[in-house]
Amino acid sequence: MTLPAAVFRRAGVYTGRILKGAKPQDLPVMQESRFELVINHQIARLLGLTVPPSLLARADEVIE
């Protein structure tokens, strides 16, 4: 499941619980356990930033 789909799925679960009568303040706060690193290399160059090759290699997506 992609990251945005997981976020929408979790929002649906929260909405369902609230519609069934749960109080929002009683619902647990869930933190993401997976993050995506996207680097816009073209904009970084335009801003005069140098992105290390090691960071580019670790990125999930690099926009050229």
Coordinates of all heavy atoms in Angstrom, one line a residue:
M1 N 0.8 -1.2 0.0 CA 0.0 0.0 0.0 C 0.9 1.2 0.0 O 1.8 1.3 0.8 CB -0.9 0.0 1.2 CG -1.9 1.1 1.3 SD -3.0 1.1 2.7 CE -3.5 -0.6 2.8
T2 N 0.6 2.2 -0.9 CA 1.4 3.4 -0.9 C 1.1 4.3 0.3 O 0.1 4.1 1.0 CB 1.1 4.2 -2.2 OG1 -0.3 4.6 -2.1 CG2 1.3 3.4 -3.4
L3 N 2.0 5.1 0.6 CA 1.9 6.0 1.7 C 0.6 6.8 1.8 O -0.1 6.8 2.8 CB 3.1 6.9 1.8 CG 3.2 7.8 3.1 CD1 3.3 6.9 4.3 CD2 4.4 8.6 3.0
P4 N 0.2 7.5 0.7 CA -1.0 8.3 0.8 C -2.2 7.4 1.0 O -3.1 7.8 1.7 CB -1.1 9.0 -0.6 CG 0.3 9.1 -1.1 CD 1.0 7.8 -0.5
A5 N -2.3 6.2 0.4 CA -3.4 5.3 0.6 C -3.5 4.9 2.1 O -4.6 4.8 2.6 CB -3.3 4.1 -0.3
A6 N -2.4 4.7 2.7 CA -2.4 4.3 4.1 C -2.9 5.5 5.0 O -3.6 5.2 6.0 CB -1.0 3.9 4.6
V7 N -2.6 6.7 4.6 CA -3.0 7.9 5.4 C -4.5 8.0 5.3 O -5.3 8.2 6.3 CB -2.3 9.1 4.9 CG1 -2.9 10.4 5.6 CG2 -0.8 9.1 5.2
F8 N -5.1 7.8 4.1 CA -6.5 7.9 3.8 C -7.2 6.8 4.5 O -8.3 7.0 5.1 CB -6.8 8.0 2.4 CG -6.4 9.2 1.7 CD1 -5.7 9.2 0.5 CD2 -6.7 10.5 2.2 CE1 -5.3 10.3 -0.1 CE2 -6.3 11.6 1.6 CZ -5.6 11.6 0.4
R9 N -6.7 5.6 4.5 CA -7.3 4.5 5.2 C -7.4 4.7 6.7 O -8.4 4.5 7.3 CB -6.4 3.2 4.9 CG -7.0 2.0 5.6 CD -6.1 0.8 5.3 NE -6.9 -0.4 5.1 CZ -7.5 -0.8 4.1 NH1 -7.5 -0.1 3.0 NH2 -8.2 -1.9 4.1
R10 N -6.3 5.2 7.3 CA -6.3 5.5 8.7 C -7.3 6.6 9.0 O -8.0 6.6 10.0 CB -4.9 6.0 9.2 CG -4.8 6.1 10.7 CD -3.5 6.3 11.2 NE -2.5 5.4 10.6 CZ -1.5 5.8 9.9 NH1 -1.2 7.1 9.7 NH2 -0.6 5.0 9.3
A11 N -7.5 7.6 8.2 CA -8.5 8.7 8.4 C -9.9 8.1 8.3 O -10.7 8.5 9.1 CB -8.3 9.8 7.3
G12 N -10.1 7.1 7.5 CA -11.4 6.5 7.4 C -11.7 5.7 8.7 O -12.8 5.7 9.1
V13 N -10.7 5.1 9.3 CA -10.9 4.3 10.5 C -11.3 5.3 11.6 O -12.2 5.0 12.4 CB -9.6 3.5 10.9 CG1 -9.7 2.9 12.3 CG2 -9.4 2.4 9.9
Y14 N -10.5 6.4 11.7 CA -10.9 7.4 12.7 C -12.3 7.9 12.5 O -13.1 8.1 13.5 CB -9.9 8.6 12.7 CG -8.6 8.4 13.4 CD1 -7.4 8.2 12.8 CD2 -8.6 8.3 14.8 CE1 -6.2 8.0 13.5 CE2 -7.4 8.1 15.5 CZ -6.3 8.0 14.8 OH -5.1 7.8 15.5
T15 N -12.7 8.2 11.3 CA -14.0 8.8 11.0 C -15.1 7.7 11.4 O -16.1 8.1 12.0 CB -14.1 9.1 9.5 OG1 -13.1 10.0 9.2 CG2 -15.5 9.7 9.2
G16 N -14.8 6.5 11.1 CA -15.8 5.4 11.5 C -15.9 5.3 13.0 O -17.1 5.2 13.5
R17 N -14.9 5.4 13.7 CA -15.0 5.4 15.2 C -15.8 6.6 15.7 O -16.6 6.4 16.6 CB -13.6 5.4 15.8 CG -12.9 4.1 15.6 CD -11.5 4.1 16.3 NE -10.8 2.9 16.1 CZ -9.6 2.7 16.6 NH1 -9.0 3.6 17.3 NH2 -8.9 1.5 16.4
I18 N -15.5 7.7 15.2 CA -16.2 8.9 15.6 C -17.7 8.8 15.3 O -18.6 9.1 16.1 CB -15.6 10.2 15.0 CG1 -14.2 10.4 15.6 CG2 -16.5 11.4 15.2 CD1 -13.4 11.5 14.9
L19 N -18.1 8.3 14.1 CA -19.5 8.2 13.7 C -20.2 7.1 14.6 O -21.4 7.2 14.7 CB -19.6 7.8 12.2 CG -19.2 8.9 11.2 CD1 -19.2 8.4 9.8 CD2 -20.1 10.1 11.4
K20 N -19.4 6.2 15.1 CA -20.0 5.2 16.0 C -20.1 5.7 17.4 O -20.6 4.9 18.3 CB -19.2 3.9 15.9 CG -19.3 3.2 14.6 CD -18.4 1.9 14.6 CE -18.5 1.2 13.3 NZ -17.6 0.1 13.2
G21 N -19.7 6.9 17.7 CA -19.9 7.5 19.0 C -18.6 7.7 19.8 O -18.7 8.2 20.9
A22 N -17.5 7.4 19.3 CA -16.3 7.6 20.1 C -15.9 9.1 20.2 O -16.2 9.8 19.2 CB -15.1 6.9 19.5
K23 N -15.4 9.5 21.3 CA -15.0 10.9 21.4 C -13.6 11.1 20.8 O -12.7 10.3 21.1 CB -15.0 11.3 22.9 CG -16.3 11.3 23.5 CD -16.3 11.8 25.0 CE -17.6 11.7 25.6 NZ -17.5 12.1 27.0
P24 N -13.4 12.1 20.0 CA -12.1 12.3 19.3 C -11.0 12.4 20.3 O -9.9 11.9 20.0 CB -12.3 13.6 18.6 CG -13.8 13.7 18.3 CD -14.4 13.1 19.5
Q25 N -11.2 13.0 21.5 CA -10.1 13.1 22.4 C -9.7 11.8 23.0 O -8.6 11.6 23.6 CB -10.4 14.1 23.6 CG -11.6 13.7 24.5 CD -12.9 14.3 24.0 OE1 -13.1 14.7 22.9 NE2 -13.8 14.4 25.0
D26 N -10.6 10.7 22.9 CA -10.3 9.4 23.4 C -9.5 8.5 22.4 O -9.1 7.5 22.8 CB -11.6 8.7 23.9 CG -12.2 9.4 25.1 OD1 -11.5 10.1 25.8 OD2 -13.4 9.3 25.2
L27 N -9.5 9.0 21.2 CA -8.8 8.2 20.2 C -7.3 8.3 20.3 O -6.8 9.4 20.6 CB -9.3 8.6 18.8 CG -10.7 8.3 18.5 CD1 -11.1 8.9 17.1 CD2 -11.1 6.9 18.5
P28 N -6.5 7.2 20.1 CA -5.1 7.4 20.2 C -4.5 8.2 19.0 O -5.0 8.2 17.9 CB -4.6 5.9 20.1 CG -5.7 5.2 19.3 CD -7.0 5.9 19.7
V29 N -3.4 8.8 19.3 CA -2.7 9.5 18.2 C -1.7 8.6 17.6 O -0.9 7.9 18.3 CB -1.9 10.8 18.8 CG1 -1.1 11.4 17.7 CG2 -2.9 11.7 19.4
M30 N -1.8 8.4 16.3 CA -0.9 7.5 15.6 C 0.1 8.2 14.8 O -0.2 9.2 14.1 CB -1.7 6.5 14.7 CG -2.7 5.7 15.5 SD -3.7 4.7 14.4 CE -2.6 3.4 14.0
Q31 N 1.4 7.9 14.9 CA 2.5 8.5 14.2 C 2.9 7.6 13.0 O 2.9 6.4 13.2 CB 3.7 8.8 15.1 CG 4.8 9.5 14.4 CD 5.9 9.9 15.4 OE1 5.8 9.8 16.6 NE2 7.0 10.4 14.8
E32 N 3.2 8.2 11.9 CA 3.7 7.5 10.8 C 5.0 6.7 11.1 O 5.8 7.2 11.9 CB 4.0 8.4 9.6 CG 2.9 8.8 8.8 CD 2.2 7.6 8.1 OE1 2.8 6.6 7.7 OE2 0.9 7.7 8.0
S33 N 5.1 5.5 10.6 CA 6.3 4.7 10.9 C 7.1 4.6 9.6 O 8.2 4.2 9.6 CB 5.9 3.3 11.3 OG 5.1 2.7 10.4
R34 N 6.5 5.1 8.5 CA 7.3 5.1 7.2 C 7.2 6.4 6.6 O 6.2 7.1 6.5 CB 6.6 4.0 6.3 CG 7.3 3.9 5.0 CD 6.7 2.8 4.2 NE 7.3 2.9 2.8 CZ 6.6 3.2 1.8 NH1 5.3 3.4 1.8 NH2 7.2 3.3 0.6
F35 N 8.4 6.9 6.2 CA 8.4 8.2 5.5 C 9.1 8.1 4.2 O 9.9 7.2 4.0 CB 9.3 9.2 6.4 CG 8.6 9.5 7.8 CD1 9.0 8.7 8.9 CD2 7.7 10.4 7.9 CE1 8.4 9.0 10.1 CE2 7.1 10.7 9.1 CZ 7.4 9.9 10.2
E36 N 8.8 8.9 3.3 CA 9.4 9.0 2.0 C 10.3 10.2 1.8 O 9.9 11.3 2.3 CB 8.4 9.0 0.8 CG 7.6 7.7 0.7 CD 6.6 7.7 -0.4 OE1 6.7 8.7 -1.3 OE2 5.8 6.8 -0.5
L37 N 11.5 10.0 1.3 CA 12.4 11.1 1.0 C 12.4 11.4 -0.5 O 12.8 10.6 -1.3 CB 13.8 10.8 1.5 CG 14.9 11.8 1.2 CD1 14.6 13.2 1.8 CD2 16.3 11.3 1.6
V38 N 11.9 12.6 -0.8 CA 11.8 13.0 -2.2 C 12.7 14.3 -2.3 O 12.5 15.2 -1.6 CB 10.4 13.3 -2.7 CG1 10.4 13.7 -4.1 CG2 9.5 12.0 -2.5
I39 N 13.6 14.2 -3.3 CA 14.5 15.4 -3.5 C 14.3 15.9 -4.9 O 14.4 15.2 -5.8 CB 16.0 15.0 -3.3 CG1 16.3 14.4 -1.9 CG2 16.9 16.1 -3.6 CD1 17.6 13.9 -1.7
N40 N 14.0 17.2 -4.9 CA 13.9 17.9 -6.2 C 15.2 18.5 -6.5 O 15.6 19.6 -6.1 CB 12.8 19.0 -6.1 CG 12.4 19.5 -7.5 OD1 13.3 19.6 -8.3 ND2 11.2 19.9 -7.6
H41 N 16.0 17.7 -7.3 CA 17.4 18.1 -7.5 C 17.5 19.3 -8.4 O 18.4 20.1 -8.2 CB 18.1 16.9 -8.2 CG 19.6 16.9 -8.1 ND1 20.4 16.4 -9.1 CD2 20.4 17.4 -7.1 CE1 21.7 16.6 -8.7 NE2 21.7 17.2 -7.5
Q42 N 16.6 19.5 -9.3 CA 16.6 20.7 -10.2 C 16.4 22.0 -9.4 O 17.1 22.9 -9.6 CB 15.5 20.5 -11.2 CG 15.4 21.7 -12.2 CD 14.3 21.5 -13.2 OE1 13.4 20.7 -13.0 NE2 14.3 22.4 -14.2
I43 N 15.5 22.0 -8.5 CA 15.2 23.2 -7.6 C 16.4 23.4 -6.7 O 16.8 24.5 -6.4 CB 13.9 23.0 -6.8 CG1 12.7 22.9 -7.8 CG2 13.7 24.2 -5.8 CD1 12.5 24.2 -8.7
A44 N 17.0 22.3 -6.2 CA 18.1 22.4 -5.3 C 19.3 23.1 -6.0 O 19.9 24.0 -5.5 CB 18.6 21.1 -4.8
R45 N 19.5 22.7 -7.3 CA 20.6 23.4 -8.1 C 20.2 24.9 -8.3 O 21.1 25.7 -8.2 CB 20.7 22.7 -9.4 CG 21.6 21.4 -9.3 CD 22.0 20.9 -10.7 NE 20.8 20.6 -11.5 CZ 20.3 19.4 -11.7 NH1 20.9 18.3 -11.2 NH2 19.3 19.2 -12.5
L46 N 19.0 25.2 -8.6 CA 18.6 26.6 -8.8 C 18.8 27.4 -7.6 O 19.0 28.6 -7.7 CB 17.1 26.6 -9.3 CG 16.8 26.2 -10.7 CD1 15.3 26.2 -11.0 CD2 17.5 27.1 -11.7
L47 N 18.6 26.8 -6.4 CA 18.8 27.5 -5.2 C 20.2 27.6 -4.7 O 20.6 28.2 -3.7 CB 18.0 26.9 -4.0 CG 16.4 27.0 -4.2 CD1 15.8 26.1 -3.1 CD2 16.0 28.4 -4.1
G48 N 21.1 26.9 -5.5 CA 22.5 26.9 -5.2 C 22.9 25.9 -4.1 O 24.0 26.1 -3.5
L49 N 22.1 24.9 -3.9 CA 22.3 23.9 -2.9 C 23.0 22.7 -3.5 O 22.7 22.3 -4.7 CB 21.0 23.4 -2.2 CG 20.2 24.5 -1.6 CD1 18.9 23.9 -1.1 CD2 20.9 25.1 -0.4
T50 N 24.0 22.2 -2.8 CA 24.7 21.0 -3.3 C 24.1 19.8 -2.4 O 24.3 19.8 -1.2 CB 26.2 21.1 -3.1 OG1 26.6 22.3 -3.8 CG2 26.9 19.9 -3.6
V51 N 23.5 18.8 -3.1 CA 23.0 17.7 -2.5 C 24.0 16.6 -2.6 O 24.4 16.2 -3.7 CB 21.7 17.2 -3.1 CG1 21.1 16.0 -2.4 CG2 20.7 18.4 -3.1
P52 N 24.5 16.1 -1.4 CA 25.6 15.0 -1.5 C 25.0 13.8 -2.2 O 23.9 13.4 -2.1 CB 25.8 14.7 0.0 CG 25.2 15.8 0.7 CD 24.2 16.4 -0.1
P53 N 25.9 13.1 -3.0 CA 25.5 11.9 -3.7 C 25.0 10.8 -2.7 O 24.1 10.0 -3.1 CB 26.8 11.4 -4.4 CG 27.7 12.6 -4.4 CD 27.3 13.5 -3.3
S54 N 25.5 10.7 -1.5 CA 25.0 9.7 -0.6 C 23.6 10.0 -0.2 O 22.8 9.0 -0.1 CB 25.9 9.7 0.7 OG 25.8 11.0 1.3
L55 N 23.2 11.2 -0.1 CA 21.8 11.6 0.1 C 20.9 11.3 -1.1 O 19.8 10.8 -0.9 CB 21.6 13.0 0.6 CG 20.3 13.5 1.1 CD1 19.8 12.7 2.3 CD2 20.3 15.0 1.4
L56 N 21.4 11.6 -2.2 CA 20.6 11.2 -3.5 C 20.4 9.7 -3.6 O 19.4 9.3 -4.0 CB 21.4 11.8 -4.7 CG 21.4 13.3 -4.9 CD1 22.3 13.7 -6.0 CD2 20.0 13.8 -5.1
A57 N 21.4 8.9 -3.2 CA 21.3 7.5 -3.3 C 20.3 6.9 -2.3 O 19.6 5.9 -2.6 CB 22.7 6.9 -3.0
R58 N 20.1 7.6 -1.2 CA 19.2 7.1 -0.1 C 17.7 7.6 -0.4 O 16.8 7.1 0.2 CB 19.6 7.6 1.2 CG 20.9 7.0 1.6 CD 21.2 7.2 3.1 NE 20.2 6.3 3.8 CZ 20.2 6.2 5.1 NH1 21.1 6.8 5.8 NH2 19.3 5.5 5.7
A59 N 17.5 8.6 -1.3 CA 16.2 9.1 -1.5 C 15.3 8.1 -2.2 O 15.8 7.3 -3.0 CB 16.3 10.3 -2.4
D60 N 14.0 8.1 -1.8 CA 13.1 7.2 -2.5 C 12.8 7.7 -3.9 O 12.5 6.9 -4.8 CB 11.8 7.2 -1.7 CG 12.0 6.6 -0.3 OD1 12.5 5.5 -0.2 OD2 11.6 7.2 0.7
E61 N 12.8 9.0 -4.1 CA 12.6 9.5 -5.4 C 13.4 10.8 -5.6 O 13.5 11.6 -4.7 CB 11.1 9.9 -5.6 CG 10.7 10.4 -6.9 CD 9.3 10.8 -7.0 OE1 8.5 10.4 -6.1 OE2 8.9 11.4 -8.0
V62 N 14.1 10.9 -6.8 CA 14.8 12.1 -7.1 C 14.2 12.7 -8.4 O 14.1 12.1 -9.4 CB 16.3 11.8 -7.3 CG1 17.1 13.1 -7.8 CG2 16.9 11.2 -6.1
I63 N 13.8 14.0 -8.2 CA 13.2 14.7 -9.4 C 14.3 15.5 -10.0 O 15.0 16.3 -9.4 CB 12.1 15.6 -8.9 CG1 11.0 14.8 -8.2 CG2 11.5 16.4 -10.1 CD1 10.0 15.7 -7.5
E64 N 14.6 15.1 -11.3 CA 15.7 15.8 -12.0 C 15.2 17.0 -12.7 O 14.6 17.5 -13.4 CB 16.3 14.9 -13.1 CG 17.1 13.8 -12.4 CD 18.3 14.3 -11.7 OE1 18.9 15.3 -12.0 OE2 18.7 13.6 -10.7

